[in-house]
Amino acid sequence: MSTRPSSSASTHRPRPSSSFTRSPLEQLVYSSVPSLAPPRTHRGTIDARSGRSSVASSRPDSRAEVDDEVEKERKERVRELMEWCEEIMESRLPSSAPLSASILPDTAKRILLQSSSRTDGRSASRQSSRGESSASGSERAMKFNGIWNKLEKGRLLSSPLPHLQFLLSLSEFNPNNIPSKPIPSSASSVTGTSSSRSMPPPPQPSTFPSTQPRSSRQPLTGTASANIPSLDFDVKGKSKADVLKAWRTSKSQKPFPPQLLLRDTLYLLQGIDGRYVRFALRPPREQNPYLTEKGRAGEGVGFPLGKDGAVPSLEDEGEEGETVGIEIVADQNKDGYISKPTQIILMQLSEMGMLYRQVTDFINTRQAGEGKGGMTEQSLCHFLHHELSEYHRLLAVLESQMNQSTPADAEQPAEGAGLTLMRLGLWTEEMRLKLKQMNLVVDEAKKVHGGALVSKIHKHTNHGDPLIRRFTDQILEEVSKPFFATLQRWIFSGDLHDPFNEFFVQLNPETVSLRDGRISPAGDVGFEGGMDSGGGTDEAHKVWEKKYVFVKSMVPGFVSEDFGKKIFSTGRSLNFIRYSCGDSDWIETQAKLANAGRALKYSDLAGLERSIDDAYSIASQRLLEIFFDKFVLLEHLRALKSYLMLGAGDFTELLMEALAPRLSKPAISLYRHHLTSDLESAIRGSNAQFDNPDILRRLDARILEYSHGETGWDCFALEYKVEAPLNAVLDNKAMLDYDRLFNHLWRLKRVENALTSGWMRVTSGSRVYEKIPGLSNDWHHCRIVQSEMVHFLRNLQAFYQLEVIECSWAAFIDFTEKREGDLDALIAAHREYLERVVRKVLLLSSRRDKEEVLLDAVRDALDFILQFRDATDDLYAWSLAEATRLDRERDAERGLYTLPTTDSPTLSSNQLTSIRQRIKTCSNSFQDRLISICHLAGSHTDLDVRFLAIRIAWNGHYSLRKSRSGVVAGDKASGRSGRG
């Protein structure tokens, strides 16, 4: 290997002036900066260090003086560059990893800020010789900040960070650029540089790299053997370590006794301070030696331990008293020298003691009851106890090996035998990895608990090291035991035993029942029989939907969210069967069968998935069987369709006929027992009498709240009573929707009956009075308008009963016959069925501003039908009175004597005019509303409602009427504008 020459050595061995060879440094300068090369006109050897030429110039004196000045300046520049090269070669640059992009500029600014106190006389003299003014550290930092911003924003360099890293390494302000020893004064005197040119001594690096040059790389002054030191001992057949140890011993630097360091290391592994090496604790910030200038230079008392063995940053914060490294308290001048590699091994081994301290502190804290508590943490502490016992056993074996290899009368172990620091590091490598993983789990346990802790630990199973992966699986197997115990009880018995809220299924704090001011120690108060804390009957849908909550943050990582919801539904189903359906015997049987099999555990995740799928299927099917077979849910839904949706036509007709005389009276005159009696009469007279008695007893007639002036039609309602567990499906919201449907359909049925009776009177009875002068057109007009009304009602009823209710019911029956899903799926299917019926029957729109516009138009049309029917009844009564009056006038001609009548023809004519106006107004208003209904229904978002508009206006009659009314309205408006 070639060696680099030393400029100082070359000054002691001056070359003869007759030689034309140059030094390697001078050749390097000329090759790097060609402009500094000597001109070709000079034929002599130019000594760059003396500045003299062997051949004189033959030019005139004036020109020669100018050339001498230029040559002198060139030589000065060459000498300066050679000095810089010497300083670079003799400096000891740190071999630490390059700083990151975010830290590097800040580090440079911090060095510049601190440079004012470290500026020596050498830099000051160089600045004065160049005519420069010395700037303070803050000014240098500000100037650097401006230059760095220009480099980053201006993109002058493709990557300025490597350049800054290089300049920072060469900077004279960098405390790491201190040469190992100053340049000899003799060399500096020969080269013409002052002692201020040398850099300050370098600090010891914190990461302990081997920066000292080896013996084979020592600079040689020549080929002679004077550069090789003479040794007083034989090095033949010895290793380099033994040679180095012998050389240090010869230099009065005997090595520290290894058995003493080994004993202290065993103490450190147990978290105990040794006699010569002890742990360095983090003092208060104002007393922290690692935040001082001495600590930054690496001359502090300790060797910092950071994450993964890295040096902690100066801004690293921590708790007071935290272990941050080790410190050597041995007197190395007296007891012996501890080499840098030995210090590195001590630092690496002491990390196990630091991890041991943190793990034991966690265990002691949790045993003292200062943590969050919980069965998961208890399982973790139990596992850590077991692993630390193995660690203690390993330390005992190592201590016995140390005692056997180093007897009391021996100063050091025999060659190749016994326990050494290197062997200690190798034998404890596996345990060191385990301690790191345990400390990592302990850090997670300080932040989360329960299922969240299990999820955090599970993330560490995706590790590339098989040892770490297996060890993490062992931790997870032990820590997850409480989770799987709670899970097994939940999915097989429906009971939630979670006193510390560690499971992802928890009781809803808003609906937890309190028993005598105390919560059940098992965490599950049951809701037996659906009774709430007030003693009343709580609705089953609240028990099903709100008793438990699903906590997503507590779901372990090996359980997906959909799978967790399946677990949530399984336990809810079993709990509902036990407490709301009263089938606890089946639950106990299933629990015994399930517990007889294998227990759930983390190592059998495939078996866990199969067990949960089976439990979910069994619990869901059992709950649906209870609803459909034991509580005959379909029979109740069919009864709601028949009675509250008026699907049973004979029952509806009889009920309407029986209640019509009572409901026509004011609401204040109604009595509930009268309505109940009429309801029973309608049941006995129709096919409803053959229904299940349990269903019939749930039917009841009630009177709603009414205001002054309302009739019985406005406040009558038919009620269907349900209780737990049926109200899990038929909850309050569903029953309110059924009430809305009954109110609308009952109103439509009332209008139909009124129109039917009026139709019979108009079509049959009116023919008797057509002979009255001037009434034939009136009765013809009434029949035409009534035909439109009947057409409208028939299409509306057919749409409601056949296309909405029956089609929705068929889709719902198809779902129930499959018996798939759980109770949530059944509730969702029923809600979908009911919402579809309500939306289509009430003709609701999806737009908020037009939600009930079409429904209001239909209700107005029904009101106009009733008003038209009342007007035709008045016309019929007037026709009867007029016929009687005319008949009395003909009695005298027939020779009959009757009492004189007091009826005035003028009064009768005025009454007829009023009746005709009412009929015309009602018919026009109804037709206008019908036009609006066709228009709104034709532009509805629902396709079925648009088909309803097509059926009502199938011949385009209302479209033509709308266009004509628009033309007439336009003519009237133009006439008004012309008159204006």
Side-chain angles (χ1 to χ4, degrees):
M1 177 181 290
S2 61
T3 59
R4 55 182 176 86
S6 175
S7 60
S8 59
S10 62
T11 55
H12 291 285
R13 298 185 296 105
R15 301 180 184 272
S17 58
S18 60
S19 177
F20 288 94
T21 59
R22 301 185 180 94
S23 65
L25 284 181
E26 187 177 357
Q27 295 178 6
L28 176 63
V29 171
Y30 290 156
S31 62
S32 301
V33 189
S35 60
L36 296 179
R40 297 181 179 179
T41 56
H42 293 263
R43 296 297 182 180
T45 303
I46 301 174
D47 191 355
R49 300 185 180 276
S50 62
R52 299 175 181 177
S53 177
S54 60
V55 180
S57 177
S58 61
R59 298 178 182 178
D61 295 339
S62 59
R63 184 66 178 270
E65 292 177 359
V66 175
D67 291 343
D68 290 341
E69 293 294 333
V70 174
E71 184 67 17
K72 184 177 181 181
E73 184 177 356
R74 184 189 68 80
K75 293 176 181 179
E76 181 67 23
R77 184 59 176 165
V78 170
R79 190 188 73 243
E80 184 177 357
L81 291 177
M82 291 174 62
E83 292 173 1
W84 277 110
C85 293
E86 290 177 358
E87 291 181 6
I88 290 175
M89 288 188 297
E90 293 182 359
S91 65
R92 296 172 56 198
L93 300 181
S95 60
S96 59
L99 299 176
S100 63
S102 60
I103 301 177
L104 187 58
D106 296 336
T107 304
K109 284 187 286 187
R110 186 168 60 249
I111 290 176
L112 289 174
L113 285 172
Q114 300 170 356
S115 62
S116 59
S117 60
R118 294 197 299 265
T119 303
D120 52 7
R122 171 176 48 84
S123 60
S125 62
R126 186 166 63 250
Q127 290 175 358
S128 60
S129 64
R130 296 180 182 179
E132 300 177 356
S133 60
S134 60
S136 63
S138 60
E139 293 177 354
R140 294 191 186 98
M142 292 177 61
K143 187 180 296 185
F144 167 77
N145 193 23
I147 296 174
W148 181 251
N149 290 335
K150 290 180 181 179
L151 287 176
E152 282 189 328
K153 296 180 181 179
R155 298 182 180 179
L156 301 177
L157 297 174
S158 59
S159 180
L161 289 174
H163 300 80
L164 180 59
Q165 179 75 29
F166 177 70
L167 294 176
L168 187 64
S169 301
L170 300 182
S171 174
E172 63 180 354
F173 303 120
N174 193 342
N176 294 330
N177 294 342
I178 303 174
S180 57
K181 52 185 178 180
I183 300 175
S185 58
S186 59
S188 61
S189 61
V190 174
T191 56
T193 57
S194 62
S195 61
S196 62
R197 188 70 179 172
S198 62
M199 296 183 180
Q204 298 295 333
S206 301
T207 53
F208 311 111
S210 179
T211 56
Q212 294 288 350
R214 298 181 181 178
S215 58
S216 60
R217 295 179 60 120
Q218 290 289 347
L220 300 176
T221 57
T223 57
S225 60
N227 188 53
I228 303 177
S230 59
L231 301 178
D232 299 334
F233 52 88
D234 186 16
V235 299
K236 187 176 180 180
K238 293 186 178 181
S239 63
K240 294 182 179 180
D242 294 336
V243 172
L244 181 61
K245 186 183 299 183
W247 179 81
R248 284 173 177 165
T249 304
S250 65
K251 298 296 182 179
S252 299
Q253 291 184 355
K254 64 176 182 178
F256 197 89
Q259 65 274 15
L260 299 181
L261 288 180
L262 194 60
R263 182 173 291 106
D264 276 11
T265 304
L266 290 177
Y267 286 140
L268 293 176
L269 292 179
Q270 303 174 58
I272 305 173
D273 292 334
R275 179 178 178 183
Y276 304 101
V277 184
R278 66 185 182 186
F279 287 102
L281 304 180
R282 184 185 297 275
R285 186 172 180 81
E286 59 275 7
Q287 302 177 8
N288 193 347
Y290 301 103
L291 300 179
T292 61
E293 294 291 337
K294 186 178 180 181
R296 295 190 190 100
E299 299 174 2
V301 295
F303 307 110
L305 278 178
K307 187 176 181 181
D308 299 330
V311 181
S313 62
L314 301 181
E315 294 80 6
D316 186 20
E317 295 290 343
E319 298 180 359
E320 182 178 347
E322 179 186 0
T323 303
V324 294
I326 58 173
E327 63 178 312
I328 307 295
V329 296
D331 188 359
Q332 299 189 36
N333 296 325
K334 178 181 177 181
D335 298 330
Y337 176 78
I338 301 178
S339 63
K340 293 296 179 63
T342 305
Q343 294 177 4
I344 295 176
I345 295 176
L346 288 175
M347 182 182 68
Q348 294 174 351
L349 292 174
S350 66
E351 184 183 6
M352 298 178 63
M354 181 189 69
L355 298 175
Y356 174 81
R357 277 188 171 187
Q358 294 178 358
V359 174
T360 53
D361 288 345
F362 172 80
I363 296 174
N364 297 332
T365 302
R366 292 306 183 263
Q367 289 180 346
E370 298 178 6
K372 297 179 181 179
M375 294 184 290
T376 305
E377 286 188 353
Q378 294 177 13
S379 298
L380 176 60
C381 292
H382 178 267
F383 178 82
L384 295 178
H385 264 301
H386 174 73
E387 292 299 323
L388 291 182
S389 299
E390 296 293 331
Y391 181 63
H392 295 156
R393 188 176 296 108
L394 174 63
L395 292 181
V397 172
L398 293 175
E399 187 174 2
S400 64
Q401 291 289 331
M402 182 190 69
N403 294 333
Q404 292 176 5
S405 60
T406 56
D409 54 351
E411 295 184 357
Q412 57 184 2
E415 181 71 22
L419 183 65
T420 62
L421 289 177
M422 185 65 70
R423 291 174 182 174
L424 182 62
L426 293 176
W427 292 350
T428 57
E429 177 65 21
E430 181 177 345
M431 183 56 67
R432 184 177 68 86
L433 296 177
K434 289 184 177 181
L435 283 174
K436 277 190 175 182
Q437 197 67 13
M438 285 191 285
N439 183 63
L440 192 63
V441 173
V442 164
D443 291 339
E444 299 288 357
K446 294 177 181 178
K447 303 174 184 177
V448 294
H449 74 293
L453 176 59
V454 176
S455 181
K456 291 285 188 181
I457 300 175
H458 177 71
K459 292 181 179 179
H460 299 297
T461 56
N462 299 325
H463 201 280
D465 191 345
L467 172 65
I468 299 298
R469 189 166 57 249
R470 288 194 300 270
F471 184 67
T472 307
D473 290 339
Q474 295 176 7
I475 298 176
L476 204 53
E477 181 74 22
E478 184 70 25
V479 171
S480 61
K481 284 183 179 180
F483 170 81
F484 283 103
T486 305
L487 175 63
Q488 185 163 0
R489 188 168 181 177
W490 171 252
I491 65 174
F492 293 145
S493 301
D495 288 337
L496 180 62
H497 182 72
D498 184 26
F500 299 101
N501 292 332
E502 298 175 290
F503 199 54
F504 60 87
V505 179
Q506 297 179 8
L507 283 172
N508 191 350
E510 298 179 358
T511 58
V512 173
S513 298
L514 299 179
R515 305 293 177 82
D516 300 329
R518 293 174 296 176
I519 300 179
S520 173
D524 189 353
V525 292
F527 288 86
E528 292 87 348
M531 300 299 292
D532 61 7
S533 59
T537 302
D538 192 15
E539 295 184 2
H541 81 94
K542 291 183 179 180
V543 178
W544 172 257
E545 294 183 358
K546 298 182 180 180
K547 181 178 179 181
Y548 298 105
V549 293
F550 182 82
V551 184
K552 185 178 178 180
S553 60
M554 286 292 180
V555 180
F558 53 84
V559 177
S560 63
E561 184 176 354
D562 294 337
F563 202 63
K565 290 183 178 179
K566 184 180 290 188
I567 297 173
F568 178 61
S569 178
T570 303
R572 278 199 307 167
S573 299
L574 296 175
N575 189 274
F576 194 83
I577 292 173
R578 178 191 296 272
Y579 295 114
S580 297
C581 301
D583 195 2
S584 58
D585 294 338
W586 182 85
I587 298 294
E588 298 297 335
T589 303
Q590 288 298 121
K592 291 179 181 178
L593 293 176
N595 294 329
R598 55 186 179 184
L600 303 179
K601 54 185 178 180
Y602 173 76
S603 58
D604 189 16
L605 292 181
L608 168 68
E609 186 172 353
R610 290 194 301 269
S611 300
I612 292 176
D613 287 337
D614 295 341
Y616 171 77
S617 177
I618 293 173
S620 301
Q621 290 297 322
R622 178 60 181 175
L623 185 56
L624 293 180
E625 287 176 3
I626 290 176
F627 267 90
F628 288 122
D629 299 338
K630 181 179 179 180
F631 294 101
V632 290
L633 176 63
L634 281 181
E635 297 298 327
H636 294 285
L637 296 177
R638 191 174 285 110
L640 289 169
K641 172 177 169 290
S642 300
Y643 300 132
L644 267 64
M645 295 184 184
L646 306 185
D650 55 345
F651 167 79
T652 305
E653 292 291 339
L654 290 176
L655 183 63
M656 182 71 67
E657 182 180 353
L659 292 176
R662 300 185 189 277
L663 298 181
S664 300
K665 298 178 182 180
I668 195 173
S669 63
L670 294 179
Y671 294 96
R672 187 172 181 179
H673 61 277
H674 291 160
L675 301 178
T676 305
S677 177
D678 293 337
L679 175 62
E680 292 178 356
S681 300
I683 291 174
R684 288 195 300 268
S686 63
N687 289 328
Q689 60 180 323
F690 302 109
D691 286 344
N692 191 342
D694 179 65
I695 292 177
L696 296 178
R697 71 176 180 84
R698 298 174 184 272
L699 282 175
D700 191 13
R702 60 190 178 99
I703 304 173
L704 303 176
E705 295 183 2
Y706 56 86
S707 58
H708 180 70
E710 291 184 347
T711 62
W713 294 106
D714 301 323
C715 61
F716 172 75
L718 195 64
E719 183 181 18
Y720 192 86
K721 299 178 181 179
V722 292
E723 67 276 349
L726 291 176
N727 53 14
V729 179
L730 300 173
D731 55 357
N732 283 339
K733 184 178 182 301
M735 298 311 297
L736 288 176
D737 289 338
Y738 280 112
D739 290 341
R740 293 178 65 190
L741 290 172
F742 174 78
N743 184 24
H744 182 69
L745 295 175
W746 181 255
R747 188 174 188 177
L748 183 64
K749 193 66 178 178
R750 174 203 173 189
V751 174
E752 181 196 5
N753 286 347
L755 186 60
T756 301
S757 61
W759 171 264
M760 294 174 62
R761 181 172 296 177
V762 169
T763 55
S764 60
S766 64
R767 298 186 182 278
V768 180
Y769 308 108
E770 287 182 352
K771 297 180 180 179
I772 298 176
L775 286 184
S776 58
N777 290 334
D778 295 329
W779 289 114
H780 179 68
H781 175 68
C782 289
R783 285 192 290 271
I784 291 176
V785 175
Q786 279 188 341
S787 298
E788 294 183 12
M789 294 178 177
V790 170
H791 172 73
F792 170 69
L793 289 180
R794 291 289 184 267
N795 281 280
L796 200 60
Q797 284 185 326
F799 171 73
Y800 286 162
Q801 294 295 336
L802 299 179
E803 298 190 21
V804 176
I805 297 177
E806 290 299 333
C807 292
S808 302
W809 176 258
F812 177 70
I813 290 299
D814 290 341
F815 171 80
T816 57
E817 289 177 352
K818 296 177 182 178
R819 300 286 179 93
E820 295 179 351
D822 54 0
L823 185 57
D824 278 329
L826 177 61
I827 294 174
H830 176 259
R831 285 178 178 173
E832 182 180 358
Y833 152 73
L834 189 57
E835 288 175 358
R836 183 175 185 270
V837 172
V838 170
R839 186 177 65 254
K840 292 180 180 291
V841 168
L842 300 182
L843 305 174
L844 301 179
S845 176
S846 58
R847 299 173 59 182
R848 290 185 176 272
D849 54 340
K850 295 184 179 180
E851 183 177 359
E852 295 187 359
V853 174
L854 185 55
L855 176 61
D856 293 337
V858 172
R859 288 174 177 173
D860 291 342
L862 297 180
D863 291 338
F864 288 130
I865 292 175
L866 293 177
Q867 295 176 15
F868 181 81
R869 188 255 187 186
D870 293 338
T872 56
D873 288 347
D874 292 343
L875 179 61
Y876 186 84
W878 183 90
S879 300
L880 179 60
E882 183 66 17
T884 303
R885 187 182 67 80
L886 293 176
D887 189 59
R888 286 181 180 178
E889 290 179 354
R890 291 193 296 269
D891 285 346
E893 298 176 359
R894 294 194 297 258
L896 297 176
Y897 176 77
T898 57
L899 294 175
T901 179
T902 59
D903 295 337
S904 172
T906 304
L907 179 62
S908 177
S909 177
N910 294 336
Q911 291 177 352
L912 178 60
T913 302
S914 176
I915 292 173
R916 285 175 174 174
Q917 184 63 33
R918 288 170 54 197
I919 292 175
K920 182 179 180 181
T921 302
C922 292
S923 62
N924 291 337
S925 299
F926 170 76
Q927 290 172 349
D928 291 341
R929 289 295 183 277
L930 207 55
I931 292 173
S932 300
I933 291 172
C934 293
H935 175 69
L936 292 173
S939 61
H940 201 272
T941 56
D942 195 303
L943 183 61
D944 294 336
V945 179
R946 294 203 294 268
F947 285 152
L948 173 63
I950 295 174
R951 283 194 296 270
I952 293 176
W954 60 276
N955 56 358
H957 169 71
Y958 296 104
S959 301
L960 182 62
R961 183 181 178 88
K962 179 181 179 182
S963 61
R964 287 179 178 177
S965 62
V967 172
V968 173
D971 293 341
K972 291 182 180 180
S974 62
R976 286 194 299 269
S977 62
R979 288 194 299 271

